[in-house]
Amino acid sequence: MNAIESKDAWSACDVARRVMQIEAAAILAVSTRLDAQFDQACQLALNCRGRIVVMGMGKSGHVARKIAATMASTGSPAFFVHPGEAAHGDLGMITSADVVLALSNSGESDELVALLPSLKRLAIPIIAMTGNVNSTLSQESSVHLDVAVSEEACPLNLAPTASTTVALALGDALAVALLEARGFKAEDFALSHPGGTLGRRLLVHVRDLMHQGERLPVVGQDLPLRDALLEISRKGLGMTAVVDAAGLLVGVYTDGDLRRTLDLDIDIRTTPVSAVMTANPATIEASRLAAEAVQLMESRRINGLLVQDQGRLVGALNMHDLLRARVV
C-alpha cells in the first residue's frame, strides 16, 4: 500500500480545489489593495524610452520571465535579466532609458538588493513587486506593488504557490493595462506572433493564397459543358469561373454542380455551361483576410471561392489552400 492509499478519505480533487480556492482568494485580496501605486507603475512603464527589464530570483525569476514575455508580445518592449548574472556583467544590458521591474516575495533577495546601488547610480526607476512593504527592495524602489498573501497553498506554508500566482496575475494586469493604454490591437499582436495561428489568421490575405493568371480556371459562358469539365480537371480546384464576352464574372461551375448535372438528360458536348452553372456565385475581395474566406466558405457550405478586385475577376482559392496555409 502506498502513502496515498494509506490516508483515509484522501482525495486529490479535494486538495486541488483547496489549492485553487486559496490562490483565487489571494488574487482577489490583492485586487482590493490596488491603489495609486499601480497607476504610477503604469505611468513609469508608459514613459519608458528604453525597455522594461524584469528581474527575479528562484520562483520569482520564473514568474518574471513570463511577465517579460507577455509584455514584449503586447506592445511593451521588455526582457528578463537574471540578477545573479547581472552582478557579473549582464548589468551592462540595462541603460538609463530603461525601467526595472523587480520581483521578490521577501523583498530581501540578496542578488537583487546587491544591484540597487548600481541601479540608483544610473537613476533607473524601479518598480518593486514584493510581499513585504517594509523590505529593502520596497523601500528603495520608485513604486511598490504589494503582493502579500496571508498563506501559501502549500500545507506547510513554505513552497511559493499563492504568492507566485498573485505575482503572475499582477504582472498580467500590468501588461494588459499597458496594452490598453497604448491602444494595442489584434493586428499588432499578430505582428509579434507571425508563426502562430493568430499571426497567420491576421497577416495572411486572400491575395497571398489565391490562384491567378494561368492557374485561374475560367471559361466563357457560351462554351459547352465539356470545356468547363476539362478546365476543372486542368486547374485542379474543383471549379471554374464562368465569364461573359467582356470577361465579367457571371457564374461558377463546381464539382457539386457536376453531381447535380448527372441527374439531367443533357449532352455535355452541346449544352452551354451557362445552362447548368451557379449564377451570382459567392466571391471575396483579394484584400480581405484569408480567415474571412474561411468564415464565408463555412457559412455558405462551399469549398471554393472566386476572388475579385474592384469587380474584376482576379483569382480563385479553395479550402485546401487555406488548410495548407494553416489558416483553418
Side-chain angles (χ1 to χ4, degrees):
M1 181 179 293
N2 60 37
I4 290 179
E5 292 173 337
S6 66
K7 293 184 178 181
D8 295 335
W10 186 91
S11 168
C13 287
D14 287 344
V15 173
R17 291 188 188 97
R18 175 177 56 79
V19 170
M20 292 180 183
Q21 288 166 1
I22 291 173
E23 297 195 358
I27 291 175
L28 290 175
V30 169
S31 72
T32 63
R33 299 201 302 266
L34 291 176
D35 55 18
Q37 291 282 297
F38 186 80
D39 291 325
Q40 292 174 29
C42 288
Q43 201 57 54
L44 278 177
L46 287 170
N47 293 338
C48 177
R49 294 178 292 106
R51 300 289 187 270
I52 300 171
V53 183
V54 194
M55 310 178 79
M57 286 295 298
K59 303 299 186 293
S60 292
H62 296 310
V63 173
R65 287 181 185 275
K66 194 275 179 184
I67 292 174
T70 299
M71 287 182 168
S73 69
T74 54
S76 297
F79 64 94
F80 173 80
V81 171
H82 191 286
E85 298 295 336
H88 294 276
D90 282 2
L91 192 62
M93 300 167 67
I94 308 173
T95 73
S96 57
D98 299 329
V99 168
V100 166
L101 172 60
L103 280 67
S104 170
N105 189 43
S106 68
E108 299 292 348
S109 298
D110 291 340
E111 295 84 354
L112 279 172
V113 171
L115 298 177
L116 291 174
S118 298
L119 297 176
K120 292 282 190 179
R121 191 174 303 119
L122 291 172
I124 295 173
I126 303 171
I127 301 171
M129 192 182 292
T130 82
N132 182 1
V133 68
N134 297 312
S135 65
T136 301
L137 184 57
S138 63
Q139 293 295 312
E140 295 298 325
S141 64
S142 309
V143 175
H144 177 246
L145 302 178
D146 181 10
V147 289
V149 298
S150 59
E151 63 175 326
E152 297 286 6
C154 164
L156 303 176
N157 201 33
L158 294 174
T161 45
S163 58
T164 49
T165 298
V166 165
L168 182 58
L170 191 56
D172 285 344
L174 184 58
V176 172
L178 295 174
L179 176 155
E180 292 194 10
R182 298 183 194 279
F184 195 77
K185 299 180 177 61
E187 290 80 3
D188 301 313
F189 188 88
L191 288 173
S192 57
H193 296 76
T197 300
L198 179 61
R200 288 189 292 274
R201 289 180 64 86
L202 293 177
L203 296 176
V204 178
H205 291 79
V206 170
R207 62 172 172 267
D208 301 322
L209 303 178
M210 69 182 188
H211 299 256
Q212 55 188 315
E214 292 297 320
R215 299 166 61 207
L216 172 62
V218 57
V219 295
Q221 64 180 351
D222 297 327
L223 289 177
L225 178 54
R226 175 181 177 277
D227 288 10
L229 296 178
L230 290 173
E231 182 72 350
I232 291 174
S233 297
R234 281 194 296 265
K235 302 301 171 63
L237 293 184
M239 65 177 176
T240 181
V242 182
V243 298
D244 62 16
L248 298 177
L249 180 67
V250 294
V252 66
Y253 190 79
T254 70
D255 287 342
D257 291 318
L258 173 59
R259 286 191 291 272
R260 288 184 286 274
T261 302
L262 292 175
D263 292 330
L264 304 175
D265 185 17
I266 62 172
D267 187 340
I268 65 171
R269 293 169 296 181
T270 59
T271 303
V273 66
S274 58
V276 290
M277 72 181 184
T278 297
N280 303 313
T283 64
I284 191 168
E285 287 289 317
S287 60
R288 306 308 297 178
L289 290 171
E292 295 179 80
V294 174
Q295 184 180 32
L296 181 55
M297 288 187 198
E298 290 178 341
S299 65
R300 295 290 189 93
R301 295 185 178 181
I302 55 179
N303 292 317
L305 275 176
L306 296 174
V307 184
Q308 298 198 83
D309 183 7
Q310 298 180 346
R312 183 172 55 90
L313 179 66
V314 295
L317 78 163
N318 62 20
M319 191 61 77
H320 294 297
D321 300 317
L322 298 166
L323 288 168
R324 279 193 295 269
R326 298 172 65 191
V327 175
V328 180

